[in-house]
Amino acid sequence: MENGSRVWKYGDDVDTDVIVPARYLTTSVPEELAAHCMEDIDSGFAKAVSPGDVIVAGGNFGCGSSREHAPIAIKASGVSCVVAASFARIFFRNAINIGLPILECPEAAAEAENGDRMSVDLASGMIRNLTRGTSHAAAPFPPFMRGIMDAGGLIAYVSAKSSAGSRKGS
Amino acid sequence: MAMTMTQKILAAHSGESEVVAGQLIEARLDLVLGNDVTAPVAIREFERIPGAAVFDRGKIALVPDHFAPNKDIESAEQCKAMREFARKHGIENYFEIGCMGIEHALLPERGLVLPGELVIGADSHTCTYGAAGAFSTGVGSTDMAAGMATGVAWFKVPSAIRFALHGGLGGWASGKDLILSIIGAIGVDGALYRSMEFVGPGVASLTMEERFTVANMAIEAGAKNGIFPVDEKTRAWAASVSNRPYVEYAADPDAEYERTITIDLSTIRPTVAFPHLPSNTRPASGSGVVAIDQVVIGSCTNGRIEDLRVAAEILKGRRVADGVRCIVFPATQKIYLQAIREGLIEAFIEAGAIVSTPTCGPCLGGHMGILAEGERAIATTNRNFVGRMGHPKSEVYLASPATAAASAIAGKIVDPEEVLEAPGRRG
Ligand code: SF4
């Protein structure tokens, strides 16, 4: 996108309880979860977010519970990528497994401000901040994870493997 | 190449003679766990796999605990989806109301997790079973779905931080105070992606219950898992819950650790994590005047029989302060029954507390004790994030059962020693 995507900027330790409060976990419908995305930290987010927008945050993004509802809500709200200084472990796994693009880049995360315009190239990991005129490269994913992402998530990856007759296990 | 205890277990389950930190492996699973929040999502994903069948009916555990007994129609539908899946696939370890409990207390109690085993669970506190010398870690629902179908999961082999424990806990200090102190020192991402391996002569002084509490909160420091060596106490515990054979793994003497943190257990004091992070800790005695509206004693962190005994010892013959609501949650049916037999439930009720059937309840702001705007609770649970127990403008303070019970009597947060004499060391 020429004009880049709008940045929604948050701080360190954004936890899954603020990404989707547990009081809404009686549903797993992506659109319903998206309606409450970030509600306890930024009540305006769910209404104002546009398809393609980018969430940028500090360290340990997605800490807390294992709820996949968190990346599902972010993905369903139209966010195209989350850029953070670092991700909590389970959130990282879940995002890859459901196909929500995430990039770890402390420099890009530190520099961006709320409302900046940013363009992200997932293939190369290049992050351009159009407002500030800067670029940073995030570390690319190892091939194993690229395999899961390229297949469209873990379920598609497993399905392809099992139909190829290469199912492992004991 | 020398390996940590965690790396040994991962190597054994991936068919490799050795693994190194950072390596991506596929490992064989001994148990796959899900609950009423995460399993419905996993089931939906599972059913997208063409011709999906479960890899082993005996190696999947499904526990309705978060919103069960069903708190509303939506949660009833979620539990129903899990129940129907369990029936359809003949899942052996589905725990209906009547034999249920909070998953991380229930599975060890049922002998479903033993030393050396590898467990994934679609719940972040799956790391609890490291207390038993197992490798266990929380994953998401999609991992759970793939795990149920294939019996394997991908892992990045973690590096480790070693916690060398010496001496013994004194006074009212407990395993909860130890882990809160550690998280306070290293931060909520202090062990991000890493194993926390607890070693040293001090380990022997910790009860199994305390080890479960410590391992339970490894995730609150960002860790992939927390793990304890297998010793006499572990073996005695394992023999009491199961007669299945198991394998003991131990770290190589020259295993590499990112760092070693040495802790003298006798220096640990009753500790409280203030809102809104588990790392925001202070000594309970330095809390100032923090008046409380609610006290919650229970959860997968501190809802075991030893926790209830400590709380009852403090509450027995005393009264919960006027205006304070004290809610006690035994973690499983077995613990509940044991507490009745020991007279603990009577002590709670006579003190003015209420006792609930096992459920996650208020721990995650689900039901059975939700906070209104501006209210404060002291809880023996594991998270005090914004809105965790209810209104986004409510507050949760994390503490041990002793500190929570003493605070219930005082009506404000106190060190148990401020209202009671220090006990002799228990266990
Ligand atoms: S008691 Fe709390 S932390 Fe434990 S499994 Fe239930 S909701 Fe999670």
Side-chain angles (χ1 to χ4, degrees), chain A residues 104-139:
Chain A
E104 224 167 52
C105 185
E107 299 80 15
E111 183 184 81
E113 299 279 353
N114 200 36
D116 280 3
R117 310 301 300 187
M118 184 175 268
S119 86
V120 177
D121 185 311
L122 292 170
S124 66
M126 190 56 72
I127 300 167
R128 286 196 303 142
N129 188 320
L130 307 177
T131 308
R132 276 149 229 290
T134 55
S135 303
H136 299 282

Side-chain angles (χ1 to χ4, degrees), chain B residues 269-272 274 282-288 403 413-416 418:
Chain B
R269 292 281 167 269
T271 300
V272 177
F274 275 51
R282 290 187 211 174
S285 58
S287 297
T403 303
I413 296 178
V414 292
D415 183 311
E418 291 173 44

Side-chain angles (χ1 to χ4, degrees), chain B residues 118-331:
Chain B
L118 195 158
V119 180
I120 60 166
D123 188 277
S124 61
H125 295 102
T126 302
C127 55
T128 307
Y129 321 129
F135 171 85
S136 60
T137 193
V139 297
S141 295
T142 300
D143 277 310
M144 181 190 168
M148 287 197 298
T150 64
V152 298
W154 65 270
F155 296 99
K156 197 169 179 183
V157 177
S159 58
I161 300 176
R162 175 167 51 184
F163 294 84
L165 310 181
H166 299 269
L169 295 166
W172 291 103
S174 68
K176 180 63 163 290
D177 302 296
L178 169 62
I179 189 63
L180 285 175
S181 304
I182 289 173
I183 297 164
I186 69 174
V188 288
D189 59 355
L192 195 60
Y193 303 128
R194 297 171 183 81
S195 303
M196 297 170 81
E197 296 207 349
F198 298 91
V199 299
V203 167
S205 72
L206 298 176
T207 64
M208 285 307 289
E209 266 110 334
E210 283 176 318
R211 297 180 201 183
F212 279 113
T213 302
V214 170
N216 175 269
M217 290 192 71
I219 179 70
E220 308 316 330
K224 184 176 204 123
N225 68 312
I227 197 164
F228 280 85
V230 176
D231 65 7
E232 280 313 315
K233 278 186 186 163
T234 325
R235 290 181 201 112
W237 165 82
S240 75
V241 295
S242 172
N243 51 19
R244 283 191 297 125
Y246 59 86
V247 184
E248 293 180 16
Y249 295 91
D252 289 319
D254 52 345
E256 266 186 47
Y257 294 88
E258 283 193 15
R259 58 176 169 146
T260 295
I261 295 172
T262 303
I263 298 169
D264 176 356
L265 295 175
S266 67
T267 63
I268 301 295
R269 292 281 167 269
T271 300
V272 177
F274 275 51
H276 288 285
L277 283 177
S279 57
N280 193 13
T281 55
R282 290 187 211 174
S285 58
S287 297
V289 180
V290 181
I292 48 174
D293 303 289
Q294 181 164 301
V295 180
V296 173
I297 298 170
S299 85
C300 60
T301 319
N302 283 120
R304 297 182 179 81
I305 192 70
E306 186 177 288
D307 301 312
L308 301 187
R309 284 184 191 136
V310 171
E313 181 185 337
I314 293 174
L315 287 166
K316 193 175 170 76
R318 297 189 175 84
R319 287 293 300 175
V320 171
D322 279 351
V324 174
R325 317 181 292 265
C326 181
I327 308 173
V328 182
F329 288 82

Side-chain angles (χ1 to χ4, degrees), chain A residues 79-100:
Chain A
V79 166
S80 64
C81 182
V82 183
V83 176
S86 66
F87 291 92
R89 191 190 70 81
I90 303 176
F91 185 91
F92 184 89
R93 260 190 110 86
N94 288 345
I96 288 170
N97 287 344
I98 68 155
L100 169 69

Side-chain angles (χ1 to χ4, degrees), chain A residues 13 17 22 25-26 28 40 64-66 68-69 87 89-90 93-94 97 104 144 155 159 161 167-168 170, chain B residues 26 28 44-45 50 74 78 122-124 137-143 149 154 193 224 364 383 385 388:
Chain A
D13 305 319
D17 276 282
L25 295 185
T26 50
S28 58
D40 286 357
S65 88
S66 67
E68 210 153 290
H69 309 68
F87 291 92
R89 191 190 70 81
I90 303 176
R93 260 190 110 86
N94 288 345
N97 287 344
E104 224 167 52
F144 180 86
I155 293 301
S159 301
K161 268 178 85 177
R167 192 158 136 185
K168 276 209 208 168
S170 62
Chain B
E26 271 190 310
R28 187 171 48 75
R44 198 170 62 199
E45 292 302 308
E74 284 83 7
Q78 284 185 307
D123 188 277
S124 61
T137 193
V139 297
S141 295
T142 300
D143 277 310
W154 65 270
Y193 303 128
K224 184 176 204 123
L364 81 162
R383 289 203 171 122
F385 300 151
R388 175 74 179 178

